[in-house]
Amino acid sequence: QVAGISVALDTPSLTLGAGVAATLNVSLSGAVPAAGSYSGAVTLTATGVSVRIPYLFLVGSGIANNATLLFAGSDGIAGQDLGSVAVDVTDANGIAVAGSPVSFSVTPRNSVKFQSVSGEPACSPASSTTTISCPTDNYGNAYVDVVLGSNPGSLSINVSTAEGTPWWSPLSVTSRGQPTINAGGILAA
């Protein structure tokens, strides 16, 4: 039991016949405790039987502590959309941090266009060829869409969060030239 927190049932007892179902509501109330994970159990008992139903609740600190790369493209055609880069930000207890800024920049400058992802929190600015900052959503995930520039070559996408630069940054990306067939270049075997 956590001090200041109480677990309550909407009814202290139920009488059920064989094959009959009922709903029992369990609520958690009180002051929000310090950041961490808390657990307990509700035990239902009847004549000759006992069922233990565990519960878990998490309280986040809201302070970024860890960043995990969820997905990113690493190879594409110059001038085309590489897709999204997604980063997950959690606190020291592994709980999602909402609204935490994640910054993306590129080396060499102007070799990609970063832009907001539709349906996700808007980045600032909405698009950029140098640096963009995207806030995490309610699940602690930040998204940015990456469109490769017109020049083929190697580039690096640098990622930083409120906690600093993750060990996996920068991301290496290869921008390849558009495949072309020269005039008269197709020959019979």
Side-chain angles (χ1 to χ4, degrees):
Q1 189 74 354
V2 179
I5 299 291
S6 62
V7 178
L9 305 174
D10 64 346
T11 182
S13 66
L14 284 171
T15 301
L16 298 174
V20 177
T23 300
L24 177 66
N25 294 303
V26 179
S27 63
L28 186 67
S29 62
V32 176
S37 66
Y38 302 90
S39 61
V42 173
T43 303
L44 305 176
T45 57
T47 305
V49 73
S50 178
V51 176
R52 184 176 184 272
I53 303 170
Y55 64 84
L56 170 72
F57 69 96
L58 306 170
V59 179
S61 68
I63 299 169
N65 186 69
N66 188 40
T68 304
L69 178 65
L70 296 177
F71 53 82
S74 62
D75 190 285
I77 303 297
Q80 295 185 0
D81 195 328
L82 183 64
S84 297
V85 175
V87 176
D88 179 61
V89 178
T90 57
D91 68 9
N93 295 302
I95 301 168
V97 178
S100 185
V102 178
S103 295
F104 301 88
S105 63
V106 65
T107 305
R109 294 170 62 87
N110 303 316
S111 56
V112 302
K113 176 182 172 186
F114 294 118
Q115 54 194 21
S116 295
V117 173
S118 178
E120 297 300 334
C123 300
S124 179
S127 69
S128 173
T129 58
T130 56
T131 302
I132 195 167
S133 180
C134 305
T136 55
D137 61 16
N138 289 338
Y139 304 103
N141 301 326
Y143 301 87
V144 68
D145 189 55
V146 179
V147 178
L148 296 172
S150 58
N151 297 323
S154 295
L155 56 108
S156 297
I157 296 176
N158 308 295
V159 180
S160 64
T161 66
E163 65 142 358
T165 302
W167 65 268
W168 44 263
S169 178
L171 306 172
S172 296
V173 176
T174 301
S175 177
R176 300 186 185 282
Q178 179 72 36
T180 56
I181 299 173
N182 295 331
I186 299 177
L187 305 174

